[in-house]
């Protein structure tokens, strides 16, 4: 199960809507081993594409060095689908390289840049196997601990 | 003398869980061969058809090796090598 606070949930949705029709992507980091998505980080989609995303290689290194220094790990790796459902594509599955992360997919196909609900779904992707999990949105993460 | 190589989570099955290991080589290709000698199988995860895999990034002293000659990139003792899989999808 993914437990996420409302502000982070909203930030992911806002990013996806803003970047539509290009795929939005980013990460939510958290303390190693805690499974708490605490630090929301928007990434630039270097591919700038409606059907593909990739972090810029320099940004990627910066991100991982920073997480390393802070004893963090990627808790959520999110991206949007702009014309299809919020389910991992074959490419998503083949390239998934963080077996410990929650892979969040947001679909903006219904409302694009406009107001309106979006599909927000979360998965584990481990060695090519996709398992959907429940998403629980809480007011703040702190109230849980 | 050795070069420290940072290993990403997904490849730590080859290094008994180690986040960083030492390897040797005057070029990236030689370094990867030395890595593979101690951690058999890791080379195949980094190289395909004689070239760096498209969705694997390797950095030498914070510079993407694609700008340093790829597998031909020259290395010296004390260099820091980082391996990171691309975060990408469709």
């Amino acid at each position: 199960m993914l437990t996420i606070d409302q502000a982070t949930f909203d930030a992911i949705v806002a990013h996806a809507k803003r970047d539509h029709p290009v795929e939005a992507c980013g990460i939510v980091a958290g303390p190693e081993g805690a499974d708490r998505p605490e630090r929301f980080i928007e990434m630039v989609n270097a591919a700038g594409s409606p059907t593909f995303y990739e972090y810029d290689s320099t940004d990627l290194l910066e991100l991982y060095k920073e997480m390393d220094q802070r004893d963090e790990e990627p808790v959520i790796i999110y991206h949007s689908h702009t014309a299809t459902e919020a389910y991992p594509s074959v490419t998503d599955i083949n390239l998934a390289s963080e077996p410990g992360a929650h892979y969040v997919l947001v679909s903006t196909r219904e409302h694009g840049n406009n107001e309106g609900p979006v599909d927000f779904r979360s998965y584990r992707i481990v060695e090519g196997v996709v398992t959907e999990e429940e998403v629980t949105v809480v007011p703040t993460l702190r109230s849980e601990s | 003398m050795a070069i420290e190589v940072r290993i990403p989570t997904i490849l730590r099955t080859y290094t008994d869980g180690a986040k960083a290991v030492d390897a040797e080589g005057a070029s990236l290709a030689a370094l990867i061969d030395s890595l593979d000698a101690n951690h058999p199988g890791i080379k195949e995860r980094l190289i395909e058809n004689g070239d760096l895999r498209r969705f694997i990034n390797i950095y030498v002293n914070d510079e993407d090796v694609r700008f340093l000659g790829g597998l031909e990139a020259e290395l010296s003792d004390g260099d820091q090598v980082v391996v990171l899989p691309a975060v990408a999808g469709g």
Side-chain angles (χ1 to χ4, degrees):
Chain A
M1 183 178 77
L2 170 64
T3 303
I4 184 172
D5 65 283
Q6 187 70 52
T8 306
F9 178 95
D10 291 347
I12 291 173
V13 170
H15 184 201
K17 283 183 180 286
R18 184 172 4 106
D19 281 12
H20 181 93
V22 166
E23 288 194 11
C25 58
I27 218 162
V28 189
E32 254 175 50
D35 199 28
R36 290 167 62 88
E38 291 183 353
R39 194 163 67 90
F40 171 75
I41 307 157
E42 280 186 16
M43 298 296 290
V44 170
N45 178 0
S49 160
T51 56
F52 192 74
Y53 80 96
E54 181 172 13
Y55 297 0
D56 171 77
S57 82
T58 306
D59 293 350
L60 178 74
L61 179 65
E62 286 298 310
L63 172 69
Y64 272 77
K65 281 171 67 176
E66 194 179 85
M67 287 194 292
D68 212 43
Q69 281 156 8
R70 300 168 64 119
D71 293 321
E72 289 175 339
E73 63 188 359
V75 181
I76 293 174
I77 296 173
Y78 73 86
H79 77 284
S80 63
H81 282 173
T82 58
T84 55
E85 67 172 328
Y87 190 86
S89 65
V90 173
T91 314
D92 293 333
I93 296 165
N94 288 339
L95 295 180
S97 57
E98 289 289 359
H102 303 270
Y103 280 87
V104 162
L105 274 118
V106 169
S107 175
T108 53
R109 69 173 166 178
E110 295 251 346
H111 301 284
N113 307 109
N114 304 312
E115 292 288 311
V118 297
D119 264 345
F120 186 110
R121 295 166 69 181
S122 183
Y123 308 85
R124 297 287 189 170
I125 308 177
V126 181
E127 289 175 12
V129 179
V130 177
T131 311
E132 184 159 12
E133 60 184 2
E134 200 184 315
V135 177
T136 303
V137 184
V138 295
T140 62
L141 283 180
R142 267 170 219 284
S143 63
E144 290 269 298
S145 59
Chain B
M1 293 292 279
I3 293 166
E4 189 195 61
V5 185
R6 308 278 302 174
I7 306 293
T9 310
I10 190 121
L11 297 181
R12 288 181 198 155
T13 47
Y14 297 94
T15 61
D16 291 325
K19 287 185 174 184
V21 295
D22 285 342
E24 298 178 352
S27 68
L28 182 60
L31 183 90
I32 291 172
D33 284 337
S34 137
L35 258 186
D36 198 67
N38 291 320
H39 311 285
I42 201 167
K43 178 176 176 175
E44 206 201 304
R45 301 292 299 272
L46 305 177
I47 290 176
E48 186 176 43
N49 301 324
D51 213 344
L52 197 58
R53 283 183 180 271
R54 160 73 177 87
F55 292 107
I56 287 286
N57 297 307
I58 301 183
Y59 307 85
V60 176
N61 302 332
D62 293 350
E63 183 106 28
D64 189 328
V65 294
R66 291 193 174 85
F67 305 115
L68 298 173
L71 290 171
E72 322 263 281
E74 291 180 8
L75 300 175
S76 312
D77 284 335
D79 281 350
Q80 263 244 332
V81 173
V82 176
V83 179
L84 282 179
V87 178

